[in-house]
Amino acid sequence: MTKKIIYILSLGAFLFTASCSEERLQLLPEIGSPLEEAINTENDMRLVLNGVYNKMSASTGFGAAVSIFGDLLSDNAFVSTANDGYFLNTSRMSYSPEISDFSMYDSFYNVIQQANMVIGDKKLKESQTVLRYKAEAKIARAMSYFYLVSFYSPDPKSGTNQEYGVPIQPEDYNPDNKLSRSSVNDIYNYIISDLESGIAGLSGATVTKRSVLTPTAAKLLLSRVYLSRGATGDYQKAVSYANEVINNSPSNVFAPITDKTTYTNYFTSTSSSNIDDQKETIFEIEQTPVFNNGGNAHPSSFYASNGAHKSILFRQSFINLIKTNNNDWRVALIGNLGSNQDTPQGYFGKKWVRGTNEGNYVSNIRLLRFSEAYLNRIEALFKSGQTSAALSYLNQFEQSRGENISSNITIEKILDERRKEFFGEGYRYFDLKRNGLSVVKDSNCSTNCNVSANDRLLVIPIPYYEININPNITQYPGW
């Protein structure tokens, strides 16, 4: 028997991802059980799937890093001079395969390995319940691969180094495997296949919580995936999946925010009833006083003015973009000025609340929002040549945020709107990379202040420790 002896995190039993039934609190299979013995019942599979969500909560991955690195690797934010050492390499873009703030590579593959345990099970009869669990795991796996290829590989439209995708982990785990990189295109095809299979496997399933991966989440991800790949026909597919989210999501579960007070409270309220489990959220990682992703490793620890580290600030040039119109809803999400040791001073954001009525660092981690569907549709329509429709939808979105409408449309205007909507949520790096744009840091920068789109710095290096144990992984050129 060659399969690795595995364990299932006991914390998975505390992660309520589909319902609050007491059966979730049953003991996990005994630690040390081989894979063949780990899943013997549907309840066992449910517990292993809980472990998938548990691994997604890691602060080194979806639980914090995705949001933080997407800002710091862009022109949005910087680490204050008055810092305590966190994320300096990222802010300066001075990382290397040896010295880095990144632990995402391990974090995403941990999710994939756990998901593979569910997806690859061949013992249980494929009942509707089993198929549903496998579908959720496939969406989690696809989401992990998408972030891996987005961080560790070049843009698929660049035509450069497309053989440098990431390794595809077989469902039948073998610790002796020395996996090489798959091509970028192969990774995208794998992601699309998983998401389509996830949608099919969850057909007819009842959705009650936003901490569960759903067909709506898979459709939103597909709109982003097609927008990112940009192959022939992809932009129209991105439009179609965005429309699916906008027009066909269960309205009792998912819906956009339509008033300023609710929008502001969604981000800044200290009441968990206003910020967690809201219809605007399509997928979030649940946090509780008992179960969170690492205490003060929560994003609010770095973004909030009262956080434990309070070191990530937004550049004045970006804040001025939001303040172009003081009626813009997002003005209310700008926090206080940061340290006077920074020249010029940066601003705190108010999107991540340190403390709620439930305690510190327990607001849920929002990863997918309804608003993205609107903005994905606008960008995809523009790129497919449907500029009139793109402008019409851009104007609708601008009006929905209290802005003045645009008389014309450019990719810069579209990306500015995305930048204002998603600051503090980690989108900006991907928006720039997807569009082949340089990262230009116009202030609060000492090194790597103007990074061109084809620079190696926009492709995160595989860590040396991984290459040392797996000689079949080749480093991205230039590292």
Side-chain angles (χ1 to χ4, degrees), residues 191-479:
I191 292 166
I192 290 166
S193 175
D194 261 359
L195 292 174
E196 290 176 340
S197 181
I199 292 169
L202 290 169
S203 177
T206 300
V207 180
T208 58
K209 290 181 70 67
R210 274 145 286 271
S211 55
V212 180
L213 287 162
T214 62
T216 302
K219 290 172 184 177
L220 182 57
L221 279 169
L222 276 167
S223 77
R224 192 193 298 183
V225 167
Y226 281 120
L227 184 61
S228 299
R229 188 173 70 171
T232 302
D234 278 359
Y235 294 133
Q236 190 54 52
K237 291 176 181 176
V239 171
S240 296
Y241 277 110
N243 281 333
E244 275 287 310
V245 174
I246 293 165
N247 300 324
N248 297 323
S249 297
S251 59
N252 63 319
V253 182
F254 304 116
I257 296 173
T258 57
D259 68 278
K260 183 177 180 179
T261 299
T262 303
Y263 185 84
T264 303
N265 285 339
Y266 175 70
F267 292 108
T268 67
S269 175
T270 56
S271 171
S272 60
S273 63
N274 290 327
I275 59 178
D276 296 338
D277 201 28
Q278 300 299 301
K279 289 186 177 182
E280 163 72 12
T281 306
I282 287 178
F283 177 62
E284 64 189 0
I285 292 175
E286 194 165 343
Q287 305 284 275
T288 71
V290 174
F291 178 85
N292 62 46
N293 65 19
N296 60 12
H298 189 278
S300 62
S301 184
F302 303 95
Y303 283 107
S305 60
N306 62 346
H309 305 296
K310 53 184 177 183
S311 56
I312 297 179
L313 302 173
F314 292 94
R315 290 185 172 86
Q316 285 197 7
S317 56
F318 166 61
I319 296 301
N320 290 340
L321 177 66
I322 297 180
K323 287 184 173 180
T324 301
N325 182 343
N326 282 327
N327 292 322
D328 191 320
W329 291 5
R330 286 142 325 186
V331 171
L333 306 181
I334 299 170
N336 301 325
L337 277 169
S339 171
N340 58 14
Q341 295 180 40
D342 299 310
T343 306
Q345 286 178 265
Y347 285 80
F348 286 105
K350 296 170 70 175
K351 277 191 171 180
W352 295 104
V353 178
R354 171 180 173 165
T356 72
N357 56 295
E358 294 183 347
N360 286 328
Y361 310 119
V362 295
S363 58
N364 291 351
I365 308 297
R366 295 176 290 264
L367 292 173
L368 297 173
R369 291 205 284 120
F370 204 103
S371 296
E372 185 188 348
Y374 292 106
L375 291 163
N376 287 357
R377 179 172 66 178
I378 292 166
E379 186 176 339
L381 283 168
F382 179 81
K383 289 180 173 178
S384 61
Q386 301 174 72
T387 53
S388 295
L391 177 59
S392 176
Y393 283 127
L394 176 62
N395 285 341
Q396 288 179 27
F397 193 85
E398 289 169 330
Q399 287 180 312
S400 77
R401 295 295 184 261
E403 299 177 89
N404 299 324
I405 64 173
S406 300
S407 58
N408 56 33
I409 188 168
T410 63
I411 190 61
E412 288 77 18
K413 284 187 177 181
I414 294 169
L415 296 182
D416 279 350
E417 197 60 39
R418 292 182 68 94
R419 190 180 183 189
K420 289 184 284 187
E421 181 65 23
F422 296 123
F423 78 95
E425 298 176 70
Y427 283 63
R428 181 62 173 171
Y429 161 78
F430 304 106
D431 289 350
L432 293 172
K433 186 172 179 178
R434 179 178 68 249
N435 285 283
L437 298 174
S438 300
V439 176
V440 180
K441 303 179 180 182
D442 62 1
S443 69
N444 307 97
C445 180
S446 59
T447 61
N448 301 312
C449 302
N450 193 331
V451 179
S452 64
N454 59 356
D455 196 294
R456 67 187 174 104
L457 289 172
L458 293 186
V459 180
I460 307 305
I462 302 291
Y464 276 148
Y465 65 78
E466 183 66 26
I467 292 175
N468 288 339
I469 64 174
N470 181 5
N472 291 331
I473 292 185
T474 51
Q475 187 60 272
Y476 190 77
W479 285 112

